Amino acid sequence: MLAGTMSTDPEIEQRMAALRQQLNQAAYQYYTLDAPELPDAEYDRLFRELQRLERSHPELRTSDSPTARVGGRLLEGFATVQHRVPMLSIRTETDTTAEGAENFERHIRNYLAGEQRRHELEPTDPRYRAQPLCADAVRAVAGLPIAYVAEPKFDGLAMNLRYEGGVLVQAATRGNGAEGEDVTQNIRTIGQIPLRLRGSAPPVLEVRGEVYMRRDDFEALNETQRARMAAGDKVAKTFVNPRNAAAGAVRQLDPAVAAQRPLSFFAYELGEITPPDQGGPDFACHWDVLQALKGWGFPVSDLSRRAQAPADLAAFHTDLAARRDRLPFDIDGVVYKVDSIPLRRELGFVTREPRWAVAHKYPPQEQLTVVQAIDVQVGRTGKLTPVAKLAPVFVGGATITNATLHNELEIQRKDVRVGDTVVVRRAGDVIPEVVSVLPERRPQATVPFQMPARCPVCGSAVIREEGEADHRCTGGLFCSAQRKQALLHFASRRAMDIEGLGDKLVDQLIDGGLVRVLPDVYRLTVGDLAALDRMAEKSAQNLIDALQKSKQTTLPRFLFALGIRHVGERTARDLAVQLGSLEQIMAADAERLLQVPDVGPVVAESIHAFFQEPHNRDVVAQLVASAIHWPAASASTAAPQTLAGKTFVLTGALPTLSRDQARALLEAVGAKVSESVSRKTDYVVAGSEAGSKLARAQALGIAVIDEQAMRQLIGQ
């Protein structure tokens, strides 16, 4: 029952007790076990409800209320550290629009105006304030601009680093705000955290910041974990998100294990520091603190900005939202802080939060909803993918009604059933997925999900190959679902590049029986197309022209367009370079195919089996007979593989080449082109407006070259 509908004190007391129990359990799962059950948005909603009830009924507030503390219980196995300056959390602005920044400033000005009025009372008035406001507070009351600093809100683990005499002596988690866990040995393994400060540092310095895991490091860690699981390691597990992985690494009792986890750090605040009258620095503003942190050797986010008005803060919030999914680390909002240190002292704290800072979050990327059904979709390769049909929920900036469940093994691991309440996650353009189930909310009489024995589209038998997680339909091109997806793949930009052959038109061609096998698309006439919905004679002729144009292609494009399982663009190029002709590729046995770079036994068997199938050979023959052709080439005339074994990453806009053109030039001489920078990268080719990949390369000491230097390496 909601607070607004409760009518008696017993009902209110029961609701508050239930909220305390639920929030404390969620905090235990989140902070102590590193296994969160509630998404952040749901926790925040319940927390705000409890705050409202406690404000209305202060007599019912108890000492164990989550609103009276910051974090959770300490994990056994670590020594306890008393924080000399409490590590308090900051208030969350519930309005995720631009209004949130205006709300923050309005709260500040209203509070200061009230303090000013108290000072103007008679000294005999009990509400009288003896101390006048500081100069920055007086200016704020007068309506002059307030200076702010806007920073990203990192999604990691808060950490307090204590330095004495410039040397790291202790690292502690936030814990419950008053005391945390001593994780010094684990923190020493993070290369970004200095063991000795640079330059002149105060005798005592506590630096506060966020331990986090980069997205690429997180993916690499999970890849390692999956390999361990495949090898039979019963202890290994994958992590839900980078924050969960970072928290688990920090709380490893064995520092050697922690050292194997790739952690990073950003500094953003101070704790205890030697006061100015004892030789410490006298900072006038927070921006100066950030610059000092950089000087002492700490990484500070270069995304932070100074601001003079709520409009500046709102612009920062909007700008970072647009860049959020491209950042190399997770954020869930931004933080606004008053810049002036004297004004911060004037504003002070309220209960568990400073008045001089606020978190302005983005729409949550995780939410709770209910699984209403589980459908099975069939892809172009025959892969069956279970999809959860959800009660509509707004998450990640969009209303979500479907979420992938990947495969039967994943459903069994999470035990997802129809009727379950689940956590669903969406980030940017990433396909929404079910993260976990809340079993305590499961209705009675639910049953485990099982994949169908027959294809839901064509009725053909469904199989799962040994050693694979996916089920597949055996119907091949007989299955209309596969025909549609096969035709869409065949026409895609990186394959045959047939402009105008999109989803709706393909549906009409397949459903109307005009295209039963791939070669039928080249038998279409203007009359066939003009009779379809939303097609006139001109648009029909344009498609016929596009079909004719697509007949002049390359052998790698043609091979990729066939949709052979496990054959992507790079493998198709390697086959064409090494074997030289379609005839040689079709005739090659698995042993010969294994001689092609990066072709292993699974890929070789897939290619060999494809061309051994008479139906597939017939389709290829019909396509070639329809006048599809490409320049003659052979392995002996292929470009020398001068950059074989080298890995390149492209970033920014190159002067004369598109990204695809640069990739093609590099791959033609044997280079591998990757999407992300790692220690295995040999060169980063940077153009104008290069972003985080360039910064990552510079941090790792990887060679950065321009287009001209790339051409020289290629031999042009």
Side-chain angles (χ1 to χ4, degrees), residues 117-195:
R117 286 192 294 272
R118 287 178 56 204
H119 181 64
E120 293 170 352
L121 295 172
E122 293 294 329
T124 55
D125 194 308
R127 297 168 296 170
Y128 172 68
R129 170 193 168 111
Q131 187 71 24
L133 272 63
C134 70
D136 287 340
V138 171
R139 285 191 287 269
V141 172
L144 296 176
I146 300 173
Y148 301 102
V149 174
E151 304 171 357
K153 187 178 183 299
F154 307 107
D155 195 8
L157 189 70
M159 191 63 55
N160 185 78
L161 308 175
R162 184 175 178 86
Y163 291 81
E164 295 179 0
V167 176
L168 177 65
V169 296
Q170 190 179 75
T173 63
R174 184 171 66 180
N176 62 14
E179 56 184 24
E181 302 154 348
D182 188 335
V183 291
T184 309
Q185 293 303 107
N186 290 344
I187 293 303
R188 288 179 183 275
T189 68
I190 303 176
Q192 287 184 314
I193 294 179
L195 300 180

Side-chain angles (χ1 to χ4, degrees), residues 165-167 194 196-203 205 292-298:
V167 176
R196 178 180 291 274
L197 300 178
R198 299 170 60 89
S200 177
L205 173 68
L293 288 169
K294 291 180 182 179
W296 289 323
F298 293 96

Side-chain angles (χ1 to χ4, degrees), residues 453-598:
R454 293 282 172 179
C455 173
V457 175
C458 71
S460 298
V462 170
I463 63 170
R464 190 177 85 189
E465 297 176 6
E466 185 177 354
E468 291 202 353
D470 296 325
H471 288 70
R472 297 184 182 278
C473 167
T474 59
L477 294 180
F478 170 74
C479 180
S480 61
Q482 294 181 65
R483 286 205 300 268
K484 289 179 181 179
Q485 294 302 316
L487 182 53
L488 284 169
H489 174 72
F490 185 81
S492 63
R493 183 171 63 88
R494 295 182 180 275
M496 298 302 288
D497 193 18
I498 306 174
E499 187 175 353
L501 192 55
D503 296 56
K504 293 182 179 179
L505 183 54
V506 166
D507 285 343
Q508 292 190 72
L509 293 174
I510 298 295
D511 295 342
L514 292 174
V515 174
R516 296 184 181 276
V517 290
L518 287 179
D520 287 344
V521 74
Y522 288 105
R523 302 185 183 109
L524 295 170
T525 66
V526 171
D528 293 333
L529 296 169
L532 300 176
D533 291 343
R534 299 182 180 180
M535 290 290 286
E537 187 169 337
K538 181 174 177 56
S539 54
Q541 185 60 56
N542 288 340
L543 181 56
I544 294 297
D545 293 342
L547 286 165
Q548 291 300 316
K549 180 181 177 182
S550 73
K551 292 180 178 180
Q552 185 173 344
T553 185
T554 66
L555 179 54
R557 277 180 173 270
F558 180 75
L559 290 171
F560 177 59
L562 293 178
I564 306 170
R565 192 159 173 237
H566 301 308
V567 175
E569 293 176 81
R570 180 176 176 82
T571 301
R573 184 196 64 81
D574 288 343
L575 288 168
V577 168
Q578 293 295 316
L579 299 179
S581 70
L582 178 61
E583 292 74 19
Q584 291 291 329
I585 296 170
M586 294 178 68
D589 58 17
E591 185 177 350
R592 176 67 182 93
L593 292 167
L594 283 170
Q595 298 174 20
V596 177
D598 295 329

